[in-house]
Amino acid sequence: MLNILYRDERIIVIDKPSGLIVHRSVLDWHETRFALQLLRDQIGQHVWAVHRLDKGTSGVLVFALDKDAARHLSQAFEAQQMEKCYHAVVRGWPQPAGHIDHALSRRYDDAEKRHDPSKGEPQAAQTDYLRLATIELPVMIERYPVSRYALMQLTPHSGRRHQLRRHMKHIAHPIIGDSTFGKGVHNRYFAEHLGAARMLLHCSALTLPHPDDGRLLTLQAPFSGEFAHLVKRMGWQDSLGTGSIQPAALQSEP
């Protein structure tokens, strides 16, 4: 059962788990479970996907419950009328705060490549980041005797595909668990020794205009599962504020 964060007559919002794709894709042709299908079956009515989260990313995911709401919400996402807040664990210690202004070439699905084989011109992309907490572990993973990691708050101001993952790689602080843009040795260490085998990127909050009257609706998804366990293990929970981690997830920590 998917965790429903909010529902009214026009929209429904879930906390998407890591490892679940939003809808059927030629890139994940072997997958048999999709958030759209699971949610439709769970509530017994059709839903429309209005944006996407990467398969490995967890957190706030919005669906429309009718075509008109889908149109309004899709337009709002395209016009960047949403405020998004993500949290991530990255390799190294970035600056305490910063702004990334780095254009990104467009990335296509396989189906899109059949119609337009060119990658197109790079598109403007901006991300703000804030370093919330750090840790230095006494383990040698690369060439240094210790390994540093940081908990980050990321705010994208554009909606390019894989933007946060590519931007963090661009500043040499890739997201842990990212098999495409990250570093395999660190990903394996977290999976094998710290119990975090997923990509450590979570959409924790999203503010959007409601399709009925434009009123702003803020939706939040606390950390849970492997991400919540890791945050507690690193001693980072106080840096997130009250309500950022689901209590049940912490109580189950061995």
Side-chain angles (χ1 to χ4, degrees):
M1 298 290 286
L2 296 170
N3 179 21
I4 296 176
L5 301 171
Y6 176 86
R7 181 179 181 179
D8 60 26
E9 294 182 350
R10 308 296 306 285
I11 66 175
I12 186 167
V13 184
I14 67 168
D15 180 3
K16 186 188 85 68
S18 176
L20 182 67
I21 63 175
V22 176
H23 47 66
R24 190 180 300 275
S25 167
V26 294
L27 297 179
D28 294 286
W29 59 269
H30 59 285
E31 295 287 346
T32 58
R33 299 172 69 251
F34 319 96
L36 187 148
Q37 176 187 2
L38 292 174
L39 183 59
R40 179 199 65 195
D41 294 344
Q42 182 172 324
I43 67 173
Q45 71 178 91
H46 192 77
V47 298
W48 284 259
V50 296
H51 70 122
R52 75 169 83 188
L53 292 177
D54 291 342
K55 179 180 178 180
T57 305
S58 58
V60 180
L61 182 64
V62 182
F63 293 88
L65 293 175
D66 61 70
K67 290 184 179 180
D68 183 63
R71 178 174 59 83
H72 279 89
L73 290 170
S74 295
Q75 290 174 348
F77 274 98
E78 291 173 4
Q80 296 299 313
Q81 296 174 347
M82 311 290 182
E83 293 182 8
K84 307 171 188 175
C85 176
Y86 289 77
H87 286 88
V89 177
V90 304
R91 180 184 68 84
W93 291 0
Q95 293 297 312
H99 177 76
I100 303 170
D101 187 352
H102 175 66
L104 298 171
S105 59
R106 183 175 177 184
R107 296 177 67 86
Y108 292 89
D109 289 332
D110 285 352
E112 293 175 307
K113 288 180 181 179
R114 297 189 186 103
H115 297 91
D116 184 359
S118 68
K119 291 185 177 181
E121 293 296 323
Q123 298 172 299
Q126 297 85 32
T127 299
D128 287 330
Y129 66 84
L130 181 66
R131 194 183 73 197
L132 301 179
T134 60
I135 194 169
E136 186 174 80
L137 300 179
V139 292
M140 184 174 182
I141 296 178
E142 293 188 270
R143 63 183 182 273
Y144 302 107
V146 296
S147 298
R148 291 180 168 185
Y149 303 97
L151 176 66
M152 307 293 294
Q153 179 177 301
L154 307 176
T155 304
H157 297 294
S158 43
R160 309 310 176 198
R161 192 170 188 189
H162 302 157
Q163 176 174 321
L164 298 180
R165 298 162 61 186
R166 297 167 75 186
H167 269 177
M168 296 313 294
K169 177 186 178 182
H170 174 69
I171 64 169
H173 295 288
I175 295 172
I176 299 299
D178 187 341
S179 60
T180 303
F181 305 103
K183 300 208 71 173
V185 290
H186 294 278
N187 297 348
R188 287 191 293 274
Y189 177 78
F190 271 70
E192 295 171 4
H193 299 279
L194 300 177
R198 53 158 292 181
M199 183 166 67
L200 294 174
L201 178 62
H202 178 74
C203 182
S204 49
L206 176 65
T207 299
L208 73 160
H210 196 280
D212 276 344
D213 52 16
R215 70 184 186 278
L216 293 181
L217 183 65
T218 297
L219 306 142
Q220 296 180 317
F223 292 114
S224 61
E226 293 178 18
F227 211 144
H229 286 290
L230 180 74
V231 167
K232 185 183 179 185
R233 184 168 186 171
M234 299 296 199
W236 289 340
Q237 61 268 34
D238 291 342
S239 67
L240 292 170
T242 304
S244 295
I245 300 178
Q246 291 182 3
L250 292 184
Q251 291 170 3
S252 62
E253 176 78 8

